[in-house]
């Protein structure tokens, strides 16, 4: 599995364009984690990823997640509320070639935290989110 984790123990170079907020997702910034799936309509890997994520809606909701699917320049929400998103703008995320699969996790700060070229196990995705400082702070607040 090809996976690029852009979040980690190393300092992020915020001048690098890969880490700059994605304008078309500005409505989600500081509110939601956004998981974006790119694939053609009949891609079995997207169906597998959809099923894995949607099987645990409570975990998605607990982590303030929105799951979007981009196909043919159109964006639709699989989980969470998403209005008037521009599929072409989101495609600037280095979308895969036709017939390929890619998924991106965008943090609440609006920057890309993870890029995968194969479906990711929900538990692994949730662990990545849970390791983020903002998520850790939210968990501490809810424990009080």
């Amino acid at each position: 599995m090809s996976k690029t984790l852009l979040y980690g123990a190393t300092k992020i170079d915020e001048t690098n364009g890969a880490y700059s907020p994605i304008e078309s997702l500005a409505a989600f910034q500081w509110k939601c984690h956004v998981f974006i799936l790119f694939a053609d309509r009949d891609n079995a890997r997207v169906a597998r990823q959809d099923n894995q994520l949607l099987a645990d809606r409570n975990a998605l909701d607990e982590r303030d997640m929105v799951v979007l699917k981009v196909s043919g320049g159109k964006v639709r929400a699989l989980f969470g509320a998403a209005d008037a998103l521009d599929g072409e703008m989101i495609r600037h995320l280095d979308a895969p070639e036709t017939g390929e699969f890619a998924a991106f996790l965008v943090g609440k700060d609006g920057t890309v935290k993870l890029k995968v070229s194969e479906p990711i196990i929900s538990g692994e995705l949730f662990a990545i989110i849970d390791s983020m400082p903002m998520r850790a702070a939210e968990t501490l607040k809810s424990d009080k």
Side-chain angles (χ1 to χ4, degrees):
M1 176 195 317
S2 174
K3 182 176 4 181
T4 305
L5 185 60
L6 298 176
Y7 171 83
T10 59
K11 175 143 175 53
I12 292 174
D13 174 11
E14 293 175 357
T15 61
N16 182 333
Y19 303 108
S20 58
I22 301 153
E23 287 181 36
S24 62
L25 299 177
F28 299 111
Q29 196 167 4
W30 308 118
K31 298 175 193 163
C32 300
H33 294 98
V34 182
F35 192 70
I36 305 166
L37 300 166
F38 286 93
D40 297 329
R41 191 173 37 162
D42 297 325
N43 190 308
R45 292 178 288 180
V46 165
R48 190 168 72 225
Q49 186 72 77
D50 289 356
N51 292 336
Q52 281 186 16
L53 289 172
L54 297 178
D56 200 350
R57 292 173 184 268
N58 289 337
L60 293 171
D61 194 43
E62 183 181 307
R63 288 166 181 82
D64 302 323
M65 289 191 69
V66 171
V67 179
L68 305 175
K69 185 176 187 177
V70 180
S71 181
K74 295 182 180 175
V75 182
R76 75 178 178 96
L78 294 177
F79 182 84
D83 298 324
L85 289 172
D86 181 357
E88 289 307 314
M89 189 107 169
I90 291 174
R91 280 192 127 3
H92 291 288
L93 280 171
D94 191 24
E97 298 294 322
T98 302
E100 293 300 314
F101 173 93
F104 294 82
L105 173 63
V106 178
K108 286 188 174 183
D109 64 356
T111 62
V112 175
K113 305 297 185 184
L114 175 74
K115 176 185 176 184
V116 293
S117 60
E118 291 295 330
I120 185 170
I121 297 168
S122 298
E124 187 177 349
L125 177 64
F126 298 149
I128 290 167
I129 292 170
D130 292 346
S131 72
M132 294 178 185
M134 189 177 288
R135 172 71 178 150
E138 291 168 353
T139 303
L140 286 175
K141 283 182 189 175
S142 67
D143 288 343
K144 291 183 180 181

